[in-house]
Amino acid sequence: NRGTRAGKITRSYNLGAPGTPIVLTSSNILEVLTRVRGVMAEQNVDLDNEDTYLIVPPSIEVLLMNSDLKAAYFSGLGQTTYTNGRIPNKMAGLNFYKSNRAPLVYDATVGGWCYILSFGTKRATAFVSLLDFMRRVDNDANTWQYFLQARAAFDFFVLYGNLTGYLYVKVF
């Protein structure tokens, strides 16, 4: 679910690749989102009823606000995105999560910075968190306070790689 020939069945969706990123603009961003929807649909993901995600940097939000979504009748919102400063949380069946930590890499072939935008369904991944060896420390002679000490461990793993993917984009 990546590259210039994404899609399990048709292999006809261009999601960008190093050296050939998708140049995102306010005029093509909605069409690119429908490509992601098509790739996920070919993996038999029910985008209307399943918990899906797309991680985007704030610059993508700016493109969305300047796209056709600025018209209230198109976005389904009561006001335009210019008026309320909001974009829908879910578009093309994907829940949007904004993060300044979306991977940004320099692509020497195109001479610019490109984002790697992860998408998928939450059931494809597993997260674990463990809090172990807790103890109460209350022998500080200088205060009446007490402290808790513990060891925390966490990790994640991709269970179904076919239900995840990424867009390789250059924001213009």
Side-chain angles (χ1 to χ4, degrees):
N1 296 330
R2 62 181 189 261
T4 56
R5 295 183 45 101
K8 180 181 179 181
I9 300 168
T10 63
R11 320 265 311 144
S12 65
Y13 298 102
N14 180 8
L15 300 181
T20 57
I22 296 172
V23 179
L24 279 184
T25 63
S26 59
S27 61
N28 75 347
I29 190 164
L30 297 177
E31 187 267 330
V32 171
L33 291 177
T34 59
R35 289 184 209 170
V36 173
R37 182 179 176 93
V39 168
M40 295 299 287
E42 287 191 12
Q43 291 289 350
N44 291 323
V45 174
D46 183 4
L47 288 144
D48 297 322
N49 297 316
E50 202 163 333
D51 202 1
T52 58
Y53 65 88
L54 175 65
I55 301 170
V56 298
S59 58
I60 302 294
E61 184 181 37
V62 171
L63 289 178
L64 284 166
M65 289 182 75
N66 289 306
S67 71
D68 289 338
L69 289 177
K70 64 187 167 198
Y73 64 86
F74 189 79
S75 67
L77 300 172
Q79 297 175 318
T80 69
T81 56
Y82 286 150
T83 304
N84 64 16
R86 296 183 189 146
I87 60 169
N89 290 334
K90 188 169 187 172
M91 285 182 284
L94 299 162
N95 293 305
F96 279 68
Y97 295 98
K98 288 183 292 186
S99 173
N100 284 322
R101 301 214 179 258
L104 184 64
V105 295
Y106 186 79
D107 192 331
T109 306
V110 295
W113 293 94
C114 296
Y115 283 105
I116 301 170
L117 307 180
S118 298
F119 66 87
T121 178
K122 287 188 179 179
R123 73 179 158 109
T125 57
F127 298 88
V128 64
S129 177
L130 174 68
L131 199 57
D132 199 8
F133 299 113
M134 289 183 60
R135 71 180 180 139
R136 180 178 166 165
V137 179
D138 57 358
N139 57 0
D140 187 357
N142 298 325
T143 69
W144 290 91
Q145 298 175 348
Y146 65 90
F147 307 96
L148 291 176
Q149 283 183 333
R151 179 174 63 185
F154 61 92
D155 202 359
F156 71 94
F157 189 74
V158 175
L159 300 172
Y160 305 106
N162 60 325
L163 300 179
T164 64
Y166 69 84
L167 284 166
Y168 189 78
V169 299
K170 181 174 172 55
V171 178
F172 180 68

